[in-house]
Structures are given as C-alpha cells and as structure tokens.
Amino acid sequence: MFERSIQIMGEAAFARLQEQRVILFGVGGVGGWCAEALVRTGIQHLTIVDFDTVNETNINRQIVATADNIGQSKVEELRKRLLSINPTADIVAIHQRYTAETATNYQLSTFNYIVDAIDSVDDKIALIEAATATSATLFSSMGAGRKTDTEQIRTSEFWKVEGCPLARALRTKMKKTGQLPHQKFVCVWSPEISAESGTLAPIVGVFGMKLANLVINHIIQSKQ
C-alpha cells in the first residue's frame, strides 16, 4: 500500500511517520483534504475533531461531502472514508467543537502534531494558545475563502503573514486579550482577496495539501 511513500522518504522516515500521533481540528474544506493526504501518505494515528454535519452547500469543495451523506456527522463520515483507504489506521473521530470551554477535553500534549483548520476566530485563538504551550508542532490554516489563484498560496511563520484578513483579525484580538502564542508556528495562507465571496475546491484542496505536506516533511526531516 505504501510502497511509493517508502521509496521517496526511505524506510526509517516512514517508520517515524507511522509512529506519530496527529490531531486535526476542523475537517471541512481545508481539513478534509489534509486528512486524506496524511492517511494516504502513511500517517497511522489520526484524531479528527469537528462539530458540524454535512450540508448540501459543502459539496462544491469538501472531500467528505456527497449527495448521499447530507445531515451526517462530518468526522464520522470522514473516518469511514479514511478507513476505506487504510483499514488498519487508528482513526479517532470526535464530534465536538473546540472552544476555550471544551479545551480540557483534549490532551494536546500527548500528540506530536496539531493541525488547525478551524474557521472561528475565538476558537482558533484558544487552540493556538493551548497548542503552542505544548511540545507538539502546530501547523495552522489561515483563511481560504474569497480566493481563486492557487499560485498565491504559500507558507510562513504566523507573524510574517501579510494581507490575510483572518490572520489580521487573529493578531488584533490576541494583542487585545493577551492570548498570545507561546512559540512560533507555521501557517498556510494567501494574500489574495477576490471581489466575490465564496470558496472553491482547488483552493481549499491546496491549503489542505500544503498543511499535510508541512507535517510529512517535518517528520521526514526529523531524526527523533
């Protein structure tokens, strides 16, 4: 199943990949594609968290959404999909919203990687503050809406993100409330702002794939 993954990263790196514990918050447009890429590459231990259900409006961009599962839990539907790819994977689905109030339900320090694909500013800040207080590596998605050009999607450290309304809103509120990150972390983002509202599959797909690639490359480059 993973012969091609092993060929490009080597057996030692692939063994490390399968040992890592990853938790992903938000499995909508960006998060769903990220989860798919992680499991197809060889991540064996993945926890997915989301409170939402599949809506007809999700079908244009979310890998979990089909005409057959409208109204179903996104994390449960995605778990079934991921297990159909790798039946031996350890996929934990948590149908819950991550908030400052529910934060104690997650033992973030037990994970090697934390991936943030949350939309809500308040919930995102709460996760970033908690995640950066652990020894886990955090990767975060900034806003993927109102964008049409995949060529402008890039990665950089959070405080170096420019032209992204979500990043600007996060930093403004963090400074106001004092909920600042405890350490630096890398984001996927784009400075593009389209004149029209909406979200497209190619954009969220690239955001999600870049998030997954950040995790995978970090593991490959690590010797731990």
Side-chain angles (χ1 to χ4, degrees), residues 19-130:
E19 292 172 353
Q20 305 306 301
R21 300 186 72 245
V22 181
I23 186 166
L24 166 63
F25 291 90
V27 300
V30 173
W33 294 100
C34 178
E36 175 106 353
L38 290 173
V39 170
R40 285 190 182 275
T41 304
I43 287 292
Q44 190 75 7
H45 305 287
L46 177 64
T47 297
I48 50 177
V49 183
D50 201 303
F51 68 96
D52 208 359
T53 56
V54 178
N55 187 284
E56 187 177 11
T57 61
N58 302 148
I59 293 175
N60 84 309
R61 69 195 183 282
Q62 297 187 12
I63 199 167
V64 70
T66 71
D68 296 325
N69 63 8
I70 293 172
Q72 300 301 307
S73 163
K74 287 183 182 179
V75 287
E76 293 296 343
E77 290 299 298
L78 184 58
R79 181 177 183 273
K80 289 192 290 186
R81 178 181 175 88
L82 297 177
L83 288 175
S84 73
I85 296 167
N86 180 8
T88 70
D90 169 29
I91 309 294
V92 177
I94 301 177
H95 185 83
Q96 185 179 68
R97 180 170 183 165
Y98 184 94
T99 67
E101 291 70 36
T102 65
T104 55
N105 296 342
Y106 305 90
Q107 297 179 317
L108 295 182
S109 61
T110 65
F111 293 91
N112 304 103
Y113 292 90
I114 301 168
V115 182
D116 159 38
I118 292 175
D119 293 328
S120 162
V121 169
D122 288 344
D123 298 344
K124 201 173 191 74
I125 290 175
L127 177 60
I128 289 171
E129 183 182 28

